[in-house]
Amino acid sequence: MKKRSLFRRLAFRTKISLSIIAILLVFGVSLSLIISRNVSQALLKENRLRGVSHAVNLSARVIEPLLSMDFLELKTLVNEISETNRDIAYAFVLDSAGDPLVHTFSGGFPTDLMRANAVQDSETYHIQSLSTETGLIDDFAAPVLIAADRVGTVRIGMSRSRIQDV
């Protein structure tokens, strides 16, 4: 006597139901992968738009304290932006020579970071992805301009860890 496979012994209705379930599972898994990739790209794009907005806004706000060399006000502005957004890993202001004026680093300013993301005077902002021990960081640089003269640069680093968690 020949052994029949389990699938052959099932009723026709059961075979149809199992086939439909298998097709729906394959479709659901493939659709979830596509949606996951699209949502991930949309979140990264939104994070970049937020970072650009923060950097350009801060560059406009630091003009007056930078011209008057009011370091307390500069520090307040830089601390305020990093405290109000938990995605911001760091923020700092460079003078026209590229030297740091104020920053949010607790253990001293990392000098390698000064030249990691250069923004031209003709650009409103520049984005550079940086790899650190804690993960990827999008570094946003915006020049502080008065007319056509650069008086400084604002840099903000936004961590991707929360986006990757989502």
Side-chain angles (χ1 to χ4, degrees), residues 28-102:
V29 167
S30 63
L31 189 61
S32 68
L33 291 174
I34 291 169
I35 289 174
S36 173
R37 192 182 81 226
N38 287 344
V39 167
S40 173
Q41 289 173 350
L43 283 172
L44 284 173
K45 183 178 179 182
E46 185 64 29
N47 191 52
R48 286 182 171 234
L49 289 174
R50 283 181 45 231
V52 167
S53 174
H54 285 307
V56 171
N57 183 20
L58 185 59
S59 72
R61 293 176 64 197
V62 299
I63 291 174
E64 186 177 327
L66 192 60
L67 288 176
S68 64
M69 297 307 257
D70 186 355
F71 294 111
L72 182 61
E73 181 66 22
L74 280 174
K75 183 70 175 162
T76 301
L77 289 171
V78 168
N79 285 342
E80 176 184 299
I81 197 161
S82 67
E83 290 171 0
T84 58
N85 190 337
R86 62 183 171 154
D87 293 336
I88 293 181
Y90 59 82
F92 59 92
V93 178
L94 303 173
D95 64 8
S96 58
D99 298 321
L101 297 174
V102 293

Side-chain angles (χ1 to χ4, degrees), residues 3-166:
K3 288 189 175 182
R4 292 172 48 182
S5 70
L6 179 63
F7 192 73
R8 288 186 159 214
R9 282 190 265 161
L10 295 174
F12 182 71
R13 219 180 226 171
T14 307
K15 290 178 185 177
I16 294 292
S17 296
L18 288 175
S19 298
I20 290 172
I21 289 171
I23 289 170
L24 288 175
L25 282 174
V26 168
F27 180 71
V29 167
S30 63
L31 189 61
S32 68
L33 291 174
I34 291 169
I35 289 174
S36 173
R37 192 182 81 226
N38 287 344
V39 167
S40 173
Q41 289 173 350
L43 283 172
L44 284 173
K45 183 178 179 182
E46 185 64 29
N47 191 52
R48 286 182 171 234
L49 289 174
R50 283 181 45 231
V52 167
S53 174
H54 285 307
V56 171
N57 183 20
L58 185 59
S59 72
R61 293 176 64 197
V62 299
I63 291 174
E64 186 177 327
L66 192 60
L67 288 176
S68 64
M69 297 307 257
D70 186 355
F71 294 111
L72 182 61
E73 181 66 22
L74 280 174
K75 183 70 175 162
T76 301
L77 289 171
V78 168
N79 285 342
E80 176 184 299
I81 197 161
S82 67
E83 290 171 0
T84 58
N85 190 337
R86 62 183 171 154
D87 293 336
I88 293 181
Y90 59 82
F92 59 92
V93 178
L94 303 173
D95 64 8
S96 58
D99 298 321
L101 297 174
V102 293
H103 58 82
T104 59
F105 297 105
S106 58
F109 188 82
T111 56
D112 294 339
L113 195 56
M114 280 192 295
R115 292 163 209 26
N117 186 7
V119 61
Q120 304 299 319
D121 292 345
S122 60
E123 297 176 307
T124 54
Y125 63 90
H126 190 264
I127 305 171
Q128 180 75 40
S129 293
L130 305 174
S131 179
T132 65
E133 302 88 34
T134 60
L136 286 175
I137 290 181
D138 288 325
D139 188 275
F140 301 89
V144 180
L145 300 172
I146 297 178
D149 297 326
R150 179 185 282 203
V151 293
T153 304
V154 167
R155 297 268 300 279
I156 294 176
M158 291 187 67
S159 176
R160 287 192 191 175
S161 62
R162 194 166 65 116
I163 289 175
Q164 290 170 344
D165 291 345
V166 171

